[in-house]
């Protein structure tokens, strides 16, 4: 066997390995579904985080109670909705991306 | 029937080792399974890679594919600059993954079904991200919290929302993992309990107990998938957040 054909054989093998490994990387569909799963927890976490922060504010500064809890919960809700919207528009890769506020 | 939450209970396995802030520190089952996870993950990486063969054997293949998967994901998500953080991110992945897998053993505790563990990892991660961000960009890192293109008079309000959004990320990260592990294990318990109740109710209903059993077998398989997927998502999001600190956009 000549060295040239040996080289061809190696190249061909390398191409076949690359081809076989290609489907292993996450496609757009897979990444999108992961984004969908993310959004729900982002909303939940923002509201819970806001509630916790508000509760702590009220706990250590009883004078402002209950406005710390109410205010932080509302901020949490706003941030949660903002994050969900951001995750959704980033996933869609739609023209809406252009006018969304970049974080 | 025993409570469905019984499997998540933490109990001491030793006498109090020492006292810290008025609490007795003991060796708990949670600590035991964390030690097991770390020991087996270390054993996998050390012993599987021992042959250092060019054509890998089975165990080396396992170790290499974990390594390559996280390596490619990290560099793909956070860029080439993220290379120094690979050991950190990989440790997070392999620890959560092995904790999840040990949780699948009967009579074991899924450590990651306790939000404190997940939150601790997430807080360490955020400490690293904050330190990196400030070390790299100085005070310019704070520009992360001011969306570009927003009107100047809106900036203070938007900054509050952005800072808040940044601060709840550890929660979102840990709640996702905790909720998935807790829900999965409770689901297994519910279907197992249904099978047992049907058998206990008599021979006619007992013959139907095969249905929850079949579902339970399917869910067990699914839980192994979730164990992997949640560990992976945790690390993917960790690298997405790391990207913020490395390259400001």
């Amino acid at each position: 066997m000549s060295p040239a054909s040996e080289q061809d054989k190696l190249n061909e093998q390398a191409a076949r390995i690359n081809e076989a490994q290609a489907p292993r990387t996450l496609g757009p569909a897979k990444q999108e579904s992961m984004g969908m799963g993310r959004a729900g927890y982002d909303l939940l976490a923002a509201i819970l985080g806001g509630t916790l922060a508000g509760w702590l504010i009220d706990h250590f500064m009883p004078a402002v109670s209950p406005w710390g809890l109410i205010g932080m919960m509302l901020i949490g809700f706003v941030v949660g909705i903002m994050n969900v919207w951001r995750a959704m528009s980033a996933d869609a890769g739609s023209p809406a991306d252009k006018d969304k506020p970049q974080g | 029937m025993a409570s469905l939450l019984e499997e998540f209970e933490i109990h001491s396995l030793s006498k109090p080792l020492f006292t810290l802030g008025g609490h007795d520190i003991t060796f708990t089952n949670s600590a035991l399974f964390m030690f097991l996870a770390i020991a087996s993950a270390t054993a996998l990486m050390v012993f599987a890679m021992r042959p250092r063969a060019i054509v890998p054997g089975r165990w080396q293949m396992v170790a290499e594919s974990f390594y390559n998967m996280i390596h490619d994901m990290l560099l793909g998500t956070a860029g080439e600059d993220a290379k120094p953080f690979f050991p950190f991110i990989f440790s997070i992945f392999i620890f959560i993954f092995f904790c999840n897998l040990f949780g699948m053993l009967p009579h074991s505790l899924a450590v990651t079904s306790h939000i404190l563990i997940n939150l601790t990892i997430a807080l360490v991660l955020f400490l690293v991200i904050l330190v990196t961000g400030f070390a790299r960009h100085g005070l310019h890192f704070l520009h992360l919290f001011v969306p570009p293109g927003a009107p100047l008079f809106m900036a203070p309000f938007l900054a509050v929302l952005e800072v808040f959004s940044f601060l709840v990320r550890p929660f979102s990260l840990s709640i996702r993992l905790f909720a998935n592990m807790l829900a999965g294990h409770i689901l297994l318990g519910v279907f197992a309990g249904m099978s047992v109740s049907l058998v206990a109710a008599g021979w006619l209903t007992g013959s139907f107990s095969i249905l929850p059993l079949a579902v339970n077998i399917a869910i067990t398989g699914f839980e192994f998938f979730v164990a992997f997927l949640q560990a992976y998502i945790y690390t993917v999001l960790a690298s997405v957040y790391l990207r913020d600190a490395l390259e400001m956009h």
Side-chain angles (χ1 to χ4, degrees):
Chain A
M1 199 179 278
S2 70
S5 74
E6 190 77 19
Q7 187 64 41
D8 285 347
K9 216 169 120 192
L10 273 179
N11 284 343
E12 193 205 337
Q13 255 173 0
R16 265 172 42 208
I17 288 172
N18 281 338
E19 202 178 310
Q21 280 181 340
R24 280 202 211 156
T25 49
L26 294 179
K30 175 84 186 175
Q31 274 171 348
E32 186 175 323
S33 65
M34 262 167 63
M36 294 287 211
R38 259 181 71 186
Y41 288 105
D42 279 352
L43 180 62
L44 187 70
I47 297 173
L48 286 183
T51 311
L52 179 69
W55 185 83
L56 285 176
I57 288 175
D58 281 355
H59 186 75
F60 289 106
M61 289 192 292
V64 294
S65 177
W67 293 106
L69 183 64
I70 295 174
M72 289 310 280
M73 222 170 141
L74 282 177
I75 292 181
F77 192 71
V78 170
V79 168
I81 297 288
M82 201 173 80
N83 282 342
V84 169
W85 177 51
R86 212 171 260 178
M88 290 294 105
S89 51
D91 275 343
S94 62
D97 277 12
K98 270 184 301 193
D99 49 43
K100 71 165 186 175
Q102 294 283 338
Chain B
M1 202 176 78
S3 161
L4 284 171
L5 294 176
E6 199 184 283
E7 64 166 303
F8 302 110
E9 272 169 20
I10 291 184
H11 37 83
S12 330
L13 301 174
S14 73
K15 291 255 183 305
L17 301 174
F18 55 93
T19 318
L20 191 71
H23 295 279
D24 285 335
I25 305 297
T26 59
F27 192 77
T28 60
N29 54 345
S30 177
L32 172 69
F33 282 106
M34 280 191 270
F35 269 116
L36 279 177
I38 293 172
S40 46
T42 313
L44 171 71
M45 295 319 280
V46 170
F47 291 115
M49 289 312 289
R50 180 137 293 172
R52 286 183 171 70
I54 294 175
V55 177
R58 288 191 192 114
W59 285 106
Q60 196 183 338
M61 194 76 203
V62 172
E64 279 184 8
S65 36
F66 279 141
Y67 184 100
N68 281 336
M69 182 182 63
I70 299 301
H71 184 262
D72 294 350
M73 185 278 297
L74 179 65
L75 295 197
T77 313
E80 286 288 325
D81 275 356
K83 209 152 198 171
F85 296 94
F86 173 72
F88 178 54
I89 297 287
F90 186 71
S91 309
I92 291 181
F93 169 78
I94 209 86
F95 177 68
I96 294 176
F97 181 51
F98 272 77
C99 283
N100 290 352
L101 280 189
F102 270 106
M104 291 306 294
L105 290 175
H107 290 286
S108 69
L109 171 81
V111 178
T112 44
S113 65
H114 284 273
I115 197 164
L116 261 183
I117 307 293
N118 310 341
L119 197 59
T120 309
I121 302 175
L123 288 178
V124 171
L125 177 74
F126 271 73
L127 201 63
V128 167
I129 287 175
L130 277 178
V131 170
T132 315
F134 279 115
R136 269 194 188 225
H137 304 285
L139 286 179
H140 183 69
F141 183 58
L142 293 175
H143 279 251
L144 189 69
F145 301 126
V146 184
L152 202 59
F153 71 93
M154 285 291 285
F157 302 105
L158 288 176
V160 169
L161 296 186
E162 291 290 339
V163 168
F164 194 90
S165 164
F166 184 82
L167 290 181
V168 294
R169 277 170 174 186
F171 286 100
S172 131
L173 208 53
S174 42
I175 286 176
R176 180 182 358 264
L177 178 58
F178 140 83
N180 273 287
M181 296 313 292
L182 190 73
H185 282 261
I186 289 179
L187 202 62
L188 285 175
V190 167
F191 277 100
M194 201 189 287
S195 262
V196 174
S197 310
L198 281 173
V199 172
W203 62 269
L204 186 62
T205 50
S207 59
F208 285 105
S209 71
I210 195 81
L211 295 175
L213 184 67
V215 173
N216 219 356
I217 292 171
I219 296 178
T220 306
F222 183 67
E223 277 309 303
F224 277 104
F225 171 68
V226 167
F228 167 76
L229 188 73
Q230 287 307 319
Y232 186 65
I233 289 184
Y234 199 98
T235 32
V236 168
L237 290 178
S239 11
V240 169
Y241 298 152
L242 191 61
R243 181 182 55 189
D244 281 346
L246 291 174
E247 47 184 70
M248 315 260 316
H249 40 98

